[in-house]
Amino acid sequence: MFYETAGNAHGLAHDPFKAIVSPRPIGWIGSKGRDGSVNLAPYSYFNAISDHPKMVMFSSSGRKDSVRNIEETGVFTTSMVGRDLAEKMNLTSAPVPYGDNEFELAGLTMMRGRLVDAPYVGEAHAALECKAIDIFEPTALDGTPSGSFVVIGQVLGIHIDEKAIADGRLDMKAVSPLARLGYMDYADAADTFEMPRPSRSAR
């Protein structure tokens, strides 16, 4: 099958786009507003975009509380969502009023960042402390605003639970990173395999 996205006439019961672009890691974004309000929310449009320097991005459909807080303070955290935290992560996606504390709502430990004034999840196997370096709203080909807001942050500090380290590596079986698929589907990455890159053949 083939369809053009302008009409989106795929003929399926549900739009397959997010299922095709998957799995996507979940950015569990912790932020704090100028008034002291804290927020914790999961974003499936999230990924690392650079290693030198270390940078991550997430995109919000609409200017939600996370974006508002980061615009005000310029910093945020992202906590790793393992399979063991899936249900609590889901609780933090509830559309609650600004100022409601999702850490308390989900029964999570709110930890204060060491380098940034933003909270992270104490139960997470790893967390990143970030400073925002760009926030923008992409436009479509015809110049129409997308209504989504991209936040790019540089990672200033990294927390790792030492119990999640084995043989000098983050143990994927122990942390079972959660990923978002399409629809309401999720997957975890506990079942992994290695595949070294091919070396250049000598000529």
Side-chain angles (χ1 to χ4, degrees):
M1 63 177 289
F2 172 80
Y3 65 96
E4 296 186 30
T5 56
N8 213 34
H10 45 72
L12 302 174
H14 302 282
D15 191 332
F17 172 66
K18 291 181 181 179
I20 295 169
V21 186
S22 70
R24 302 184 307 278
I26 299 169
W28 212 1
I29 306 300
S31 62
K32 183 178 178 181
R34 189 181 294 119
D35 65 356
S37 298
V38 297
N39 183 264
L40 178 66
Y43 291 87
S44 68
Y45 291 137
F46 168 81
N47 222 314
I49 60 171
S50 172
D51 189 36
H52 301 289
K54 292 174 171 55
M55 298 167 67
V56 295
M57 63 73 62
F58 76 94
S59 179
S60 171
S61 297
R63 186 179 264 111
K64 296 179 180 174
D65 295 346
S66 300
V67 176
R68 169 182 169 175
N69 287 348
I70 297 167
E71 286 176 332
E72 291 181 355
T73 64
V75 296
F76 65 97
T77 68
T78 177
S79 298
M80 187 178 204
V81 184
R83 177 64 185 87
D84 57 331
L85 293 173
E87 287 72 23
K88 290 184 180 293
M89 178 277 298
N90 195 40
L91 287 174
T92 65
S93 69
V96 298
Y98 181 79
D100 282 13
N101 188 328
E102 288 86 357
F103 288 89
E104 294 178 354
L105 176 68
L108 293 162
T109 304
M110 186 172 69
M111 302 294 291
R112 183 178 299 176
R114 294 191 187 185
L115 303 178
V116 304
D117 189 15
Y120 68 94
V121 176
E123 291 81 1
H125 295 293
L128 311 176
E129 297 190 19
C130 308
K131 183 173 180 60
I133 58 174
D134 203 0
I135 302 174
F136 61 94
E137 181 182 11
T139 57
L141 290 171
D142 62 1
T144 304
S146 65
S148 293
F149 295 85
V150 177
V151 178
I152 298 177
Q154 184 167 331
V155 180
L156 304 183
I158 299 177
H159 302 265
I160 302 176
D161 181 358
E162 292 187 6
K163 296 190 294 294
I165 298 175
D167 299 322
R169 299 169 57 170
L170 196 61
D171 186 353
M172 291 295 103
K173 291 187 182 299
V175 302
S176 297
L178 199 67
R180 188 69 190 270
L181 305 176
Y183 322 115
M184 294 293 108
D185 297 335
Y186 293 82
D188 71 58
D191 186 15
T192 65
F193 64 94
E194 289 191 358
M195 185 164 55
R197 290 184 181 181
S199 58
R200 177 181 291 182
S201 58
R203 294 187 178 181

